[in-house]
Amino acid sequence: MDKDAVDTFRRERLAALADHMGGRAALGRALGYKDGGYVNHMISGIRPITEKTIVLCEQLPGATGWFSDTKFQERALSREVVAAIAKLEPAEVRRIENLLRGMLDLPQTRA
């Protein structure tokens, strides 16, 4: 895939993730920005979507593999669940993750 195709793919996937998260402002806040301005700039092509940004996006609940494989989208958490998780304290998020990891026979995360 050439650079233009990669950039277009990334912008499309970021826009889809913003929709999944409830809007550009919601995604921006989930990534640690004040609002959706920076996300809007990335989707518009004003700013690049870097590997670092992709890693941060894919660490969000329900966004694993978002930029690498569309099959994960079918298994993404609902917008309501993602919004509820985003409001929890970090310790509670880890507890929920470890609960799910136990159900999936995956190693537990450390506190």
Side-chain angles (χ1 to χ4, degrees), residues 25 59 90 94 97:
Q59 289 176 348
R94 281 191 299 278
E97 180 180 356

Side-chain angles (χ1 to χ4, degrees), residues 60-96:
L60 296 172
T64 301
W66 194 269
F67 287 84
S68 58
D69 196 336
T70 56
K71 72 180 179 183
F72 287 104
Q73 297 166 36
E74 297 169 4
R75 298 179 179 164
L77 297 172
S78 71
R79 205 179 291 161
E80 295 82 11
V81 170
V82 171
I85 290 171
K87 294 176 185 175
L88 298 174
E89 295 292 324
E92 185 66 9
V93 172
R94 281 191 299 278
R95 188 190 70 75
I96 292 169

Side-chain angles (χ1 to χ4, degrees), residues 35 37-38:
D35 55 30
Y38 195 82

Side-chain angles (χ1 to χ4, degrees), residues 3-4 6-12 14-15 24 37-50:
K3 183 179 178 341
D4 289 337
V6 169
D7 291 344
T8 299
F9 173 78
R10 287 180 175 185
R11 286 195 307 274
E12 289 171 354
L14 189 62
R24 293 176 183 189
Y38 195 82
V39 171
N40 189 46
H41 285 177
M42 289 187 288
I43 292 171
S44 300
I46 296 169
R47 299 209 181 251
I49 301 171
T50 64

